[in-house]
Amino acid sequence: MKIPQNVTAKEIQIWLPCTGFLLTILTFFPSYLTPDSFDQYEQSLLFQFNDWHPSIMAFLWSLLNAIYTGPQPMLFLQVSIFWLGVHFLLSAIPTGSFIKTAIMVALLFSPTVLNFIGVIWKDVQLAAAWSFVAAYVFAQKQNGHEVSLKNKIWLILILIYGALIRHNAGLIAGPLVLYVITGRSYMAYFWKTTIAYILVASLSLGMNNAFNEALNASKSPATHSLMVFDLAGISLNIGENQYPFALSQNQMEAMRPCYHEGYDWGGFIWGDCGFIWELSKQMGDQNRTMRKAWIDAIINHPIAYMNHRLTHFDRLLGLLSHKANGYYIWQDGISPNKIGIETRKHGLYHLVKAYVDSFSSTWIFRPISWLILSLLLIFFSFFSKLEKEVSEFIFTMGIVSLFYIFTYLPFGVAADFRYIYLSIILTIYGFIVCLSQFNIIKTASR
């Protein structure tokens, strides 16, 4: 079944992203905001930053405040970049049959895309920025154009924004940086690729620190929270306190429900086990003392550390364990705030929410599914008969998605579905391109 003659591929490339843009704006306006969002918004208003969240997002927000003071400019920027990326993606692939186009629409408007696209979060901005870059480069190559040096610079700057907006994103920026520069996400030799990835990760970390210094961002105990969580896991695994301060037996027992019920860091900071956080702050040289205790505990108890890390990673993936109440898959509007911004719960809001909720217990809302799909993309790029540019794009989407999920193995402190939003978007992009090539593969195999 072909697409009706009166609907051209060009019209699909324009009207589908425009529809997505309008749907997103109308549903989420003036944007959905959480306490994290409000924290960064307040920093942008005061032009006073801290590094609990990477300060680059709050800095960008402060520039947008010159246009209009509020969350609306950030929403429009975030949504525009995302749907513009969709336009470039669609312009790079054959439209094909009505059925294939319908599947592409279903993927782009899936519940795992629409649930967070209008929430002002660093996770969503990262996904929007990097998917735009990947789609733009792919479109240029597929349409027979080379990416100019000027455009490469702009694209690298957008990648840098993504690398700085989440600490773990910079660790896996290498494949996309190489893809922009060379058209491939790897080099001729494995050792060269490894060095390039390490170099990009190191530069990202250095730029993050330099940016915070330039903004005079105050130091926060963000890294410290990872150590608090890991030391709790190791201590409970071996039954012996590994913190650099004394804990009574009652306090050790009190940690257990905090660790096993929530299985994230929050309970040790502002929850029932907040006494851990308070005790750690009483140390004279807080970060240095905690860092030494953390490193010593990992070296002396590697099995306990790995058990802790793997259990937490499984908690995120949902492979062996799954949260009884499901994952956090929908931000219910705007969190209570002191500046008077309220949620507009109109009919479209309820329709989109019902749409997301109807899929809440399905496989698409389990991160392990997206890890497996990332692996399938990589496999498909190697073993299918595709032209070079298509294969390179599919491989890049798969490898970045996979790498990003695995950053939560050593560095995760919470099991939250939104943390894999980047991997979801890139994986969907990869499968859309795979789907668009189906007839080509079938013809080539005859």
Side-chain angles (χ1 to χ4, degrees), residues 85 88-89 131-141 147-148 151 155:
F88 283 118
L89 181 73
S131 61
F132 167 82
V133 169
Y136 179 83
V137 175
F138 180 57
Q140 291 294 102
K141 290 184 172 298
V147 182
S148 67
N151 286 342
L155 294 171

Side-chain angles (χ1 to χ4, degrees), residues 312-429:
H312 175 72
F313 193 52
D314 172 59
R315 188 71 176 177
L316 170 66
L317 295 182
L319 176 60
L320 300 176
S321 61
H322 190 56
K323 289 185 176 180
N325 297 321
Y327 288 97
Y328 173 28
I329 62 171
W330 175 260
Q331 166 56 30
D332 194 19
I334 301 170
S335 298
N337 60 89
K338 58 186 178 183
I339 58 178
I341 304 178
E342 297 182 353
T343 309
R344 299 162 58 248
K345 292 192 176 182
H346 42 68
L348 191 56
Y349 160 89
H350 290 291
L351 285 175
V352 174
K353 184 179 185 303
Y355 174 54
V356 173
D357 287 344
S358 66
F359 287 86
S360 60
S361 59
T362 64
W363 64 269
I364 66 172
F365 279 112
R366 296 189 70 161
I368 184 61
S369 302
W370 297 98
L371 187 150
I372 294 171
L373 291 174
S374 298
L375 286 170
L376 288 176
L377 281 180
I378 296 169
F379 179 85
F380 190 78
S381 69
F382 278 114
F383 296 103
S384 58
K385 296 179 180 180
L386 295 171
E387 60 181 84
K388 182 180 177 182
E389 287 78 9
V390 172
S391 179
E392 294 290 352
F393 179 79
I394 293 171
F395 175 79
T396 302
M397 297 300 93
I399 202 70
V400 175
S401 300
L402 188 68
F403 282 178
Y404 188 68
I405 292 173
F406 271 103
T407 61
Y408 291 103
L409 175 56
F411 301 118
V413 293
D416 200 334
F417 186 77
R418 68 183 168 111
Y419 293 157
I420 67 159
Y421 195 71
L422 170 68
S423 296
I424 291 170
I425 300 302
L426 297 187
T427 301
I428 286 175
Y429 272 31

Side-chain angles (χ1 to χ4, degrees), residues 37-158:
S37 312
F38 280 112
D39 178 36
Q40 292 173 289
Y41 178 56
E42 184 176 3
Q43 290 180 48
S44 76
L45 293 174
L46 300 174
F47 208 75
Q48 295 176 357
F49 308 96
N50 66 65
D51 64 358
W52 184 273
H53 302 287
S55 55
I56 191 167
M57 179 175 162
F59 175 73
L60 174 63
W61 212 332
S62 71
L63 299 180
L64 295 177
N65 287 337
I67 300 173
Y68 182 85
T69 302
Q72 294 90 334
M74 186 63 93
L75 175 69
F76 275 89
L77 178 64
Q78 177 175 296
V79 173
S80 298
I81 291 175
F82 176 80
W83 289 107
L84 187 58
V86 170
H87 163 72
F88 283 118
L89 181 73
L90 295 176
S91 72
I93 57 178
T95 303
S97 67
F98 175 80
I99 293 175
K100 283 203 300 185
T101 302
I103 295 173
M104 291 178 188
V105 171
L107 288 171
L108 290 169
F109 289 84
S110 74
T112 55
V113 174
L114 294 183
N115 61 335
F116 291 146
I117 189 60
V119 185
I120 305 300
W121 272 335
K122 53 193 176 186
D123 309 87
V124 182
Q125 298 219 340
L126 167 64
W130 280 14
S131 61
F132 167 82
V133 169
Y136 179 83
V137 175
F138 180 57
Q140 291 294 102
K141 290 184 172 298
Q142 284 296 95
N143 293 318
H145 306 301
E146 286 296 322
V147 182
S148 67
L149 177 60
K150 180 179 72 173
N151 286 342
K152 283 183 180 180
I153 292 172
W154 278 109
L155 294 171
I156 292 294
L157 289 175
I158 295 173

